[in-house]
Amino acid sequence: MRDYDEITAFLGEWGPFQKMIFSVLSLSVFPNGFGGLSIVFVGGIPEHRCLIPGNLNLSEAWLNRTIPLEQKRGKLQHSQCRRYRLDVIRNLSATFADPDSINMSEVEQEPCLDGWEYSKDQYISTIVSEWDLVCTNDWKMPFSMSIYFLGVLTGSFISGVLSDGFGRKAILFGTMAVQTGFNMLQVLSPNWEIFCLVNFLIGIGQISNYVAAYVLGSELLGKSIRIAYSTLGVGISYACGYMFLPLVAYFIRSWQILLFALSLVGLIYIPLWWLIPESPRWLLLKGKVQESEAILRYAAKKNRVTLPEILFSDFQLEDVKDKNVKSFTVTRLIKTRNIRGITIINLIVWIILAIGYYGLSLNTPNLHGDDYLNCFFSAAIEIPANIAAWLFLQRYSRKFSLSGSLFLCGIVLFFVQLIPPNISILATVLVMVGKFANTCAFAIIYAYTAELYPTVVRNTGVGVSLMVSRIGSIISPYVFFLGVYYEFLPYILMGSLTVFSATLVLLLPETVNIALPDTIDQMQKMKGFKSTCNKHYYLNKNETTGENNMVVIKTQDI
């Protein structure tokens, strides 16, 4: 019995309808590129020092000596969290006119009891300067980002259920509205706690929007276009949104105005409601045959092809429902020793990839050079990375493409620490190469994960992988935060983890040029660093009937 893709093959693969869907759905992902990463500038940490009250009547010489000097990153700088005790300074200034005659190392220190003063050289305001998220409260800034990713994790749980229940299109536009609306509300946050709460809700909306767009595109586009859609379409659109962030942030240095300006971008998606149709496949599953046929007739008209006299027979409808409605529990991912091993390795790699991607993206302020340029380059490098991933998926082994990308990422990050301080530009270049390799690996693993799992648990396997990867996203803000204590520590940690994951990938079976398995028994077997497959499954077309049959060829271990 033919499946949905065969039933709708008359539409062709790349007609005007598919081109329109490819373009507008890719465009819908554009805000996701700057939504989560805006914290780089919204939560930027300005230069700061303890505030000294103006009623002390100190001379300029004594005012300049109220803040102790500390070693930071090999340089002598004013302390950001300590000052000399002001009552002692006041008494000393009354006795000694010249502070250089005093040994200041013997003067007792105290924390910033009167708050902080912040430099406005780079930022007019950020959430850090707004709510004093420094010194003993410095953990709150990365926590703000972790809360966002906690929302993303929650959204990962519910997005699939909502999409299956209410339709791909409704959830796509509903979550875009949530994303845009809460971004606007976040501007009005009266305190850090409310800011975090709204950030959590934005995270739910953003991932649900992304998943709905990804699923809708996968169901509206043909098999040969889906890999291009996930890399060249969704991936590059996301990167363009990411590149848009530093361009806007460069001209808008206030966090409230920046968030408001970015949220306005969501309003331009209102006209897309009339361009993006619902998924005909989902409509069929819900018994809405006439609505599904209407969309396919519109697509046929757009592509200038002739429709069959009967689009769906009763048997074909039942077959589509049988293949799509049947669901399997998560426990199937650990049912056998083989699938359990694949699942464990796959989830570890997803978590490490997420730590690396967001750790590198959020680590922009710790790089040498201009923050805005570094953020722009970090975003721009994702475009060639997605193109490279597409080429690898078209021509080369999945396993070695993924492992090679991870290994390159890990090695260059690990060796950043060896670059001498006088050529810091080389360290930044290595970080960008690491970001390129990490993004390339992220694009590859989507397709590889879908091919590793059989049809009966494929959606479950990909969904669980995405959800578990959010653990890495939640951890990532604290990885880049380690750079406050030792600037190379994030790179050492991410480099080591990524090389470890590259080694683990070599244990997985190869999937290129192998027909997708339908059952758990048809999955390829793991065996050390070699893939074994006692049975290869190929699709063979019967010349008499024209039907595709599964041919089983027994082979020796490979």
Side-chain angles (χ1 to χ4, degrees), residues 3-18:
D3 63 14
Y4 176 85
D5 288 316
E6 292 180 86
I7 294 170
T8 58
F10 68 91
L11 291 174
E13 289 286 320
W14 192 236
F17 176 76
Q18 287 91 346

Side-chain angles (χ1 to χ4, degrees), residues 437-552:
N438 179 277
T439 304
C440 184
F442 229 137
I444 292 171
I445 201 172
Y446 272 91
Y448 190 29
T449 300
E451 292 173 352
L452 282 172
Y453 289 108
T455 302
V456 292
V457 291
R458 185 168 295 120
N459 286 340
T460 303
V462 175
V464 169
S465 300
L466 279 167
M467 286 188 290
V468 172
S469 74
R470 305 308 167 192
I471 297 174
S473 305
I474 293 169
I475 296 171
S476 63
Y478 290 97
V479 173
F480 91 88
F481 184 64
L482 294 174
V484 174
Y485 302 101
Y486 177 54
E487 61 179 316
F488 297 119
L489 190 54
Y491 303 118
I492 294 171
L493 180 60
M494 289 187 291
S496 303
L497 288 174
T498 306
V499 169
F500 172 68
S501 67
T503 306
L504 286 181
V505 168
L506 295 175
L507 299 173
L508 295 174
E510 183 54 73
T511 61
V512 70
N513 296 328
I514 303 295
L516 292 177
D518 286 322
T519 67
I520 292 176
D521 293 335
Q522 292 176 1
M523 290 178 67
Q524 294 214 83
K525 303 295 187 291
M526 290 175 55
K527 185 179 179 181
F529 284 85
K530 295 181 180 180
S531 299
T532 64
C533 184
N534 294 326
K535 297 179 181 179
H536 279 287
Y537 296 85
Y538 295 93
L539 289 176
N540 183 49
K541 190 168 186 177
N542 189 312
E543 295 182 358
T544 304
T545 63
E547 294 182 352
N548 288 326
N549 299 316
M550 187 73 78
V551 177
V552 181

Side-chain angles (χ1 to χ4, degrees), residues 2 37-38 52 79 104 153 166 237 323 328 331 381 386 433 482 485 487 549 551:
R2 297 187 302 162
L37 297 171
S38 61
I52 306 299
S79 173
M104 299 299 290
L153 176 63
F166 299 98
S237 180
K323 289 189 176 184
F328 291 83
T331 57
I381 203 70
N386 278 284
V433 173
L482 294 174
Y485 302 101
E487 61 179 316
N549 299 316
V551 177

Side-chain angles (χ1 to χ4, degrees), residues 60 107 119 129 154 238 283 314 331 355 369-370 410 481 512-514:
E60 186 175 349
V107 179
S119 169
S129 61
T154 305
Y238 179 93
L283 290 169
D314 292 338
T331 57
I355 291 174
D370 184 80
F481 184 64
V512 70
N513 296 328
I514 303 295

